[in-house]
Amino acid sequence: MKSAVIVFPASNCDRDAATALESLTGHKTEMVWHQDTDLPNVDLVVLPGGFSYGDYLRSGAMAGQSAIMRAVKAHAEKGGAVLGICNGFQVLTESHLLPGALMKNAGLKFVCRPVTLEVSETQSAFTRFYENGQKVVFPVAHGDGNYFADPETLDRLEGEGRIAFRYAEGDNPNGSVRNIAGILNATRNVLGLMPHPERVVDPLLGGTDGIPMFKSLIEALS
Amino acid sequence: MTAITPQIVKDHGLSEAEYARIKELLGRDPNLVELGVFSVMWSEHCSYKSTRVHLKKLPTKAPWVLQGPGENAGVIDIGDGDACIFKMESHNHPSFIEPYQGAATGVGGIMRDVFTMGARPVAMMNALRFGAPDHPKTRHLVSGVVAGIGGYGNCMGVPTVGGEVNFHRSYNGNILVNAMCVGLARTDRIFLSAAKGAGNPVVYIGSKTGRDGIHGATMASAEFSEDSEEKRPTVQVGDPFTEKLLLEACLELMATDAIIAIQDMGAAGLTSSSAEMGDKGGSGIELDLDKVPQREPNMTAYDMMLSESQERMLAVLKPGREKEAEAIFRKWELDFAVIGITTDTHRLVVRHKGEVVADMPITALSDAAPVYERPFVEAAPQEGAPVFDPSRDVMQSLVKLVGSPDMCSRRWVWEQYDNTVMNDTVQRPGGDAAVVRVHGSSKGLAITTDVTPRYCFADPYEGAKQAVAESWRNICAVGGRPMAVTDNLNFGNPEKPRNMWQIVAGVAGIGEACRALDYPVISGNCSLYNETNGEGILPTPAIGGVGLLKDVQRMATVALKRAGDALILIGATNGHLGQSIYLREIEGKEEGAAPPVDLSAEKRNGDLVRGLIEQGRVDTCHDLSDGGLLAALAEMAMAGGIGAQIALPEGAAAIPFLFGEDQARYLVAVPSANAAGILAEAKTAGVPAASLGVTGGDKIAVKDVGAVAIGALRKAYEAWFPAYLGGSELPPSN
Amino acid sequence: MRARVFVTLKTGVLDPQGKAIGHALEGLGFRGVGEVRQGKLIEVELSETDEARARASVKEMCEKLLANTVIEKYEIELRP
Amino acid sequence: MRARVFVTLKTGVLDPQGKAIGHALEGLGFRGVGEVRQGKLIEVELSETDEARARASVKEMCEKLLANTVIEKYEIELRP
Ligand SMILES: Nc1ncnc2c1ncn2[C@@H]1O[C@H](COP(=O)(O)OP(=O)(O)O)[C@@H](O)[C@H]1O
Ligand SMILES: [Mg+2]
């Protein structure tokens, strides 16, 4: 599987994502600058965590307008895989590749801690190596992770099996509606999630629950 | 030009004698711009005029020290061509005025000190001191400072991995916000600030210059009174987004060989950065202020020279490399301007609108800055063993202690910091020292900040020794080899002889401990004039320590890991209750002698413990500090979710034994089969060691004394912060 | 020309910040405080002098960037 | 009564958000955009019906909570 990580100004999990990908795929990951207009020929594009444009105005808003996002959209429309983690998820909603919006945490504070998630959809290139209903622990680290969408959208997401990850009951760190932690687009090739799978690929760093996501992608896309 | 009146001189914080000396050095009266430049260069903050003679006595050398004090940050060699660069700095006064922005810009400032030397910051720490919890300002200050540190550090993508938070009424009117930054570089890619050579371009990079933080007092002078509202001294607002770009752009430029010297613009911005670079390089500097990127119209030379706008750097490039550098900064959408040139005159010459507005010998600003041997009055340390009630219920006291403001869980704080970004945090906040892996290797850096101000107040000398010893011990407790420290000397007004004594004794204590432990001081910062209602704060010489782990897989943590482990207490226990947390929280007394620090015992005990961890024989270890043995055991039990049963040694009195704060001690848990070997080894090494009991169950039980469930401890431990800050306080935002 | 853009959450979108402010005001002893909502105020300096053109341009800014119309609505005020 | 409170940074105080928005608008191709500043808009519902008393009360709210007067200024607008 060939992959690229987009670097926006003040992305800061770009290296983490690349390191995780490289260690699991054995291939070099391309780093793509936000002002570039073309993507290299890759299977997976990752929009990494961070504070693109300082998260000023709204998290992900300005990055959503950057030149490279046109290419990312085109990649997604052709069926290419896109993974948005944390700030990357925010960029995906801001650029309408995913529905809804990520608002300020209900607790109004930045929150960094491991949370328990439930895998609620395994029918995707991102999640096929998990069990349905499996409990996994990923860390979150965000101030604006409170997922919101209108009830019709939520019903549709649920009906179409597009809610990939939910916060386990009682462990919702940000007030997300219906405990939503991560969602898929209609064609299931774009996943956005607030928790950080790339931070749980090394037992020394608090777990390995993120590995199946990358293994799923490698199998699906290679 | 404004005539310099005695009032203007006074408003600039200069004494009559200092002003006379300025005139003598210039051979004429300074103009207002020059006076402003002198006032900041000769300020306590920049010149260290009260502390310089004392700081000279600190040990600063070791074979692994590549750069000691004198540069933006200190540098140590950690092997394999890797260098670790670190420093700690205060932002106390700004944080009291505007907690969010004050703390945020403090974080930004110390990061610049580290990355200006070529390092990528890899970890942040912060040592915070607030007033009494029931003081009306405290809640707001805590929530603002914590949010500000998080707001800046999180955006930078550097994990904030630890620190300290304490409360004491002496900080009611003057909180302390000390931030430490640790970075990594290659030993052959370290950048210094000496602007060597003449004819080299001086370039300005980063954010535009505004009227931020210009010294308030100067606003009284005539030239600045047109519009007092507009010219109010403004608080600096941090822009972490720009700083992140500045970091990446600087590292990109540093990968070339275009830089001769580089220095961040910190306090006194353009003035101190240019003067210091010229001073270190033995060169002169000419600046043309018309070229300085400006945020506001009509800025005067005075404004620009004294502005403390954040996120700016000054660099001297090799001639002809400007275009290449400019391209990098443009790519990162930052301001870049050639604003001057180095000369061989050794003068700082400033032009504005075609006129020379300042022309001063650089040595007048640096070498000739005043140095004072301020008088001090030696105060006898507090003495004696305090009286306590031996019949109090020990377990009730333990619950109260772990739920007290100074001892309870800091989770509420650290969960607001991204502590795992960069994917190298192998020990998160909550342990003895944070550990971050050196990216791509199996090495780790152990990092800690320490000081126990109540000890320092009782005995400035022993207290300062203790701060160093505790830092050293915290690093040993995770299995690290302590390498070097940075210090942040927070004291009251040095013009008061009693405070000056605290400074003198404190620096002496640090020096003594660092020498004995082979733990040199490689950088630091002094913050004086910290007062509440005319009373100095508790003396607070914060120590930031860094150690090296050869193999992070072998790191120890505090969490109990197995039932049935033997608990071994390393170090001698005399039951020292003077100045203890127990005494303060349970008996309501702040009395007695601070615990004495036996540095050779520290060394012996720490070397033994570290050796055991390095050999893979100990994976569970906690140093004993606030709250003594029982508090440490409670923390180990809560962290691991495993209880313990211990017994007092023959003849030991329960309260002093369990809560005394004797130094140089560790509690380790090891599989019981290994206990005898470790005890024997300790004996050979001359280290007191005793088996106290075993791990297991869901309680902490002390034979013949009592027991308490881990659940009850945890409830008290986790409750205080959220309860204190929940609800009524609105989280600040930027 | 100066534009003031008010960006507020749509009705029906929960506003925890507004709620927290309301709560804090009560805590400070203010009586008779009903709902509190927090939004953004964005002031934009424009070289455009024609009001209609300015309004059209600011509207476009709102749609493209200043507001997230999934959750927010906006109002534009122009001053010479 | 409804109060709208506009909280903005004092002149001279750096506004990183406004700066970044201005930059982004330029990037989107908007021409003639000068300075951009971002502030807060806080809407408070009040049971008070007397305008003078309402204004006094909102002013107190601003001083105590809504504005950080070290760096921000505020403006109050009342509507029945
Ligand atoms: N208490 C101290 N102990 C050791 N070194 C110190 C101490 N205080 C300041 N220094 C050193 O003096 C130099 C100047 O410090 P400072 O003015 O804080 O630097 P900067 O302007 O870069 O923030 C630095 O090299 C710093 O490490
Ligand atoms: Mg510096």
Side-chain angles (χ1 to χ4, degrees), chain B residues 71-73 87 89 109 112-113 116 263-266 276:
Chain B
E71 276 291 337
N72 287 303
K87 185 173 186 243
E89 193 156 73
R112 281 194 299 285
D113 269 333
T116 195
Q263 149 106 16
D264 66 297
M265 292 194 227
E276 282 170 17

Side-chain angles (χ1 to χ4, degrees), chain A residues 119-221:
Chain A
V119 183
S120 34
E121 184 50 58
T122 55
Q123 300 294 309
S124 83
F126 304 90
T127 53
R128 58 175 63 172
F129 275 33
Y130 293 103
E131 305 282 320
N132 230 329
Q134 187 181 339
K135 295 274 176 26
V136 293
V137 177
F138 289 9
V140 293
H142 61 245
D144 302 312
N146 182 356
Y147 184 76
F148 173 88
D150 56 56
E152 301 80 71
T153 306
L154 294 170
D155 290 344
R156 194 171 69 243
L157 289 174
E158 266 173 359
E160 295 173 2
R162 288 166 54 193
I163 300 173
F165 293 94
R166 292 183 199 261
Y167 302 110
E169 202 53 56
D171 208 11
N172 182 335
N174 53 35
S176 276
V177 61
R178 301 191 197 179
N179 290 329
I180 289 174
I183 56 168
L184 293 159
N185 67 342
T187 43
R188 309 178 91 74
N189 57 325
V190 177
L191 171 71
L193 80 172
M194 289 313 296
H196 287 272
E198 84 285 15
R199 293 192 195 181
V200 268
V201 293
D202 182 340
L204 254 180
L205 303 174
T208 53
D209 284 353
I211 291 178
M213 180 178 296
F214 295 100
K215 290 257 162 86
S216 300
L217 284 163
I218 292 168
E219 198 203 56
L221 304 178

Side-chain angles (χ1 to χ4, degrees), chain B residues 321-393:
Chain B
R321 306 298 290 274
E322 299 90 325
K323 283 273 153 324
E324 177 185 350
E326 179 165 9
I328 293 173
F329 287 91
R330 294 281 176 243
K331 170 186 158 195
W332 289 97
E333 303 182 31
L334 293 163
D335 273 296
F336 175 98
V338 178
I339 63 164
I341 190 157
T342 58
T343 64
D344 58 7
T345 63
H346 213 35
R347 296 180 77 82
L348 177 62
V349 178
V350 182
R351 288 198 170 74
H352 187 221
K353 304 198 162 143
E355 268 176 58
V356 172
V357 293
D359 184 353
M360 299 157 288
I362 287 180
T363 47
L365 299 170
S366 53
D367 296 357
V371 173
Y372 296 128
E373 294 233 27
R374 297 208 187 269
F376 54 83
V377 185
E378 191 162 335
Q382 291 184 35
E383 277 175 6
V387 179
F388 64 94
D389 175 359
S391 67
R392 279 187 205 275
D393 184 292

Side-chain angles (χ1 to χ4, degrees), chain B residues 78-326:
Chain B
I78 56 167
D80 313 305
D82 295 320
C84 174
I85 302 186
F86 61 93
K87 185 173 186 243
M88 176 153 51
E89 193 156 73
S90 64
H91 229 206
N92 303 337
H93 299 283
S95 302
F96 186 73
I97 297 169
E98 212 310 277
Y100 185 98
Q101 297 297 344
T105 49
V107 167
I110 191 61
M111 283 196 185
R112 281 194 299 285
D113 269 333
V114 167
F115 72 74
T116 195
M117 298 199 65
R120 178 173 286 283
V122 297
M124 295 296 299
M125 302 282 284
N126 54 91
L128 311 178
R129 308 255 141 38
F130 297 102
D134 60 6
H135 187 268
K137 280 206 152 113
T138 302
R139 201 180 257 112
H140 169 70
L141 291 167
V142 174
S143 69
V145 165
V146 170
I149 291 171
Y152 209 102
N154 297 344
C155 180
M156 289 298 290
V158 180
T160 300
V161 293
E164 307 175 85
V165 189
N166 287 137
F167 299 88
H168 190 273
R169 61 181 182 282
S170 82
Y171 307 107
N172 279 353
N174 195 128
I175 61 171
L176 303 183
V177 174
N178 297 171
M180 173 175 173
C181 178
V182 180
L184 286 169
R186 299 293 292 170
T187 51
D188 57 355
R189 303 296 298 163
I190 289 164
F191 292 81
L192 302 180
S193 58
K196 294 206 184 85
N200 300 318
V202 176
V203 305
Y204 172 115
I205 47 202
S207 250
K208 291 190 185 0
T209 295
R211 291 192 178 97
D212 308 278
I214 295 170
H215 196 302
T218 58
M219 301 305 145
S221 64
E223 192 174 327
F224 297 97
S225 58
E226 314 122 66
D227 182 350
S228 57
E229 168 64 28
E230 288 291 296
K231 297 271 183 167
R232 279 173 71 135
T234 51
V235 170
Q236 305 148 32
V237 168
D239 181 358
F241 169 55
T242 297
E243 176 115 327
K244 169 72 173 159
L245 303 185
L246 189 60
L247 162 66
E248 299 301 337
C250 284
L251 292 179
E252 200 170 316
L253 179 61
M254 286 163 170
T256 72
D257 65 345
I259 299 176
I260 293 173
I262 181 164
Q263 149 106 16
D264 66 297
M265 292 194 227
L270 206 45
T271 289
S272 68
S273 55
S274 55
E276 282 170 17
M277 289 174 84
D279 181 43
K280 290 194 186 121
S283 63
I285 295 211
E286 270 188 40
L287 299 177
D288 179 357
L289 296 181
D290 297 319
K291 306 263 171 63
V292 169
Q294 295 160 43
R295 200 170 78 218
E296 291 177 54
N298 308 323
M299 291 190 58
T300 63
Y302 185 98
D303 289 341
M304 281 187 263
M305 289 307 285
L306 269 66
S307 162
E308 297 196 347
S309 290
Q310 303 288 298
E311 293 93 22
R312 302 180 300 162
M313 297 272 203
L314 199 64
V316 175
L317 301 182
K318 293 183 183 162
R321 306 298 290 274
E322 299 90 325
K323 283 273 153 324
E324 177 185 350
E326 179 165 9

